[in-house]
Amino acid sequence: MAAAKKAVLGPLVGAVDQGTSSTRFLVFNSKTAELLSHHQVEIKQEFPREGWVEQDPMEILQSVYECIEKTCEKLGQLNIDISNIKAIGVSNQRETTVVWDKLTGEPLYNAVVWLDLRTQSTVEILSKRIPGNNNFVKSKTGLPLSTYFSAVKLRWLLDNVTKVQKAVKEDRALFGTIDSWLIWSLTGGANGGVHCTDVTNASRTMLFNIHSLEWDKDLCEFFDIPMKILPNVRSSSEIYGLMKISHSLKAGALEGVPISGCLGDQSAALVGQMCFQDGQAKNTYGTGCFLLCNTGRKCVFSDHGLLTTVAYKLGRDKPVYYALEGSVAIAGAVIRWLRDNLGIIKTSEEIEKLAKEVGTSYGCYFVPAFSGLYAPYWEPSARGIICGLTQFTNKCHVAFAALEAVCFQTREILDAMNRDCGIPLSHLQVDGGMTNNKILMQLQADILYIPVVKPSMPETTALGAAMAAGAAEGVGVWSLEPEDLSAVTMERFEPQINAEESEIRYSTWKKAVMKSMGWVTTQSSESGDPSIFCSLPLGFFIVSSMVMLIGARYISGTL
């Protein structure tokens, strides 16, 4: 019997989407933007001390190999020829910092994740060295001095890890964010791997001048970072190198396929949502929550706690576009916390069912400041609180309050963005895994009091990386001309409560946020030692009592 004929499709483009919680590989039809197949692997996070968040770079790399292999197998089962994959894009969690040995290909320490807080004292020491009337760090980078960005994480590694110090001295060390680690590894690693990053990821390191689009000598001197370990900075859409498949990977058909797109995950989502016009904005709901507004070819500096960042540069000879960004540290991570730490749900999807049972938080407010508060506060001393508890409160109310917290945090960002831009958004475009939760989307529309618009295909981060890869010079299988971009069907959520109720709930949330601040001293956030219990008696006992109450009621079956 003759073999089944392979399906004939337009050129295909693959996208590695490496996030904080999971890795995925997705394959799109470049002519229709249709998602043909994908595979996802969850990634472990390690918490060696209070406030520390790490991941294993080798586990991240292996998860990429596994996702590529499984997706190629699925395409084969669909009778789709994987030799049609003409390019691969990379999208990644930003700011997460890796240092590795260029001779062996081995990481010299775990990846220090963007959420990590160990560098708070480093930030405070450096802050004292910035003149009050000339914040040259912010004027060059668009970023506040914070634990969030890569420079201070790299400084910590250089100060505290002997293997890193030795490798730098012996000229064996390479630094990169996750995109650099993956591209170097996928293009050969120790055997000729390409050490590069793109402008969007570089703009999140705090070492990159967003005006000149180069590593900044003054910034590197300020943070005492050797420039020789930094990757080459490229545009977001060009051929960086060709895939050299690991011996462990069966998908050998991808050998020699160009890696030609690279965007930090939030920039990738902006491209995937086709926010190419000045003033267009999108909000992505992942581990954190990130609202970006395209400000065109000009840098707009915020007076209300937002970041100025590089949105994209889609080609070596193409102009750079900028964005204002509001960053929320904890969004989907709060659902994972309810699942893994409190055990009140078994799967992340259950949160919608619990919230639906009650339809209200019944006056319970949850501020998930597990890593301090990011925009618009930039307050590292904040910690998570649940307040407004009564004997009536049960796990359904806590679940509802967790979803509301994501929406309230987005409202704070949107308010800041409206004040900076001067033209309030008429609707909010959304994407990310959490947008599958219809209660969350309706709550978001109610709390913002504007419509929320969600594309029918929510994988816009991967789509953006695929678009950049397919449009690169030398690939040319994806047109970014407005008339050629595929129309996307949208689901729309309209506000269903009155404006007065929305404002009352929001003002109560703001009251809860104020109560979350000032819990932590520098010593407790850095040391991870028992002194935290001495320095924070009130916060510790409130949270402990809440957890014990929930635990007891959960066990007894009354929760």
Side-chain angles (χ1 to χ4, degrees), residues 312-389:
Y312 51 81
K313 185 179 189 295
L314 295 174
R316 268 180 294 201
D317 303 321
K318 297 290 172 67
V320 64
Y321 283 76
Y322 296 94
L324 271 177
E325 174 175 337
S327 313
V328 169
I330 303 294
V334 75
I335 313 304
R336 192 166 175 166
W337 183 81
L338 290 174
R339 184 193 74 185
D340 297 346
N341 293 37
L342 289 195
I344 69 171
I345 52 175
K346 289 191 176 68
T347 66
S348 298
E349 291 70 32
E350 281 179 46
I351 190 98
E352 185 172 8
K353 187 179 166 210
L354 285 187
K356 194 173 183 179
E357 277 184 41
V358 285
T360 174
S361 69
Y362 200 76
C364 171
Y365 285 80
F366 192 160
V367 183
F370 300 155
S371 296
L373 290 168
Y374 284 10
Y377 301 101
W378 298 105
E379 182 49 72
S381 72
R383 284 297 177 275
I385 63 166
I386 301 179
C387 53
L389 297 172

Side-chain angles (χ1 to χ4, degrees), residues 293-309:
C293 180
N294 190 332
T295 63
R297 293 168 67 173
K298 60 185 182 295
C299 280
V300 176
F301 283 87
S302 172
D303 295 319
H304 301 96
L306 303 181
L307 310 177
T308 304
T309 199

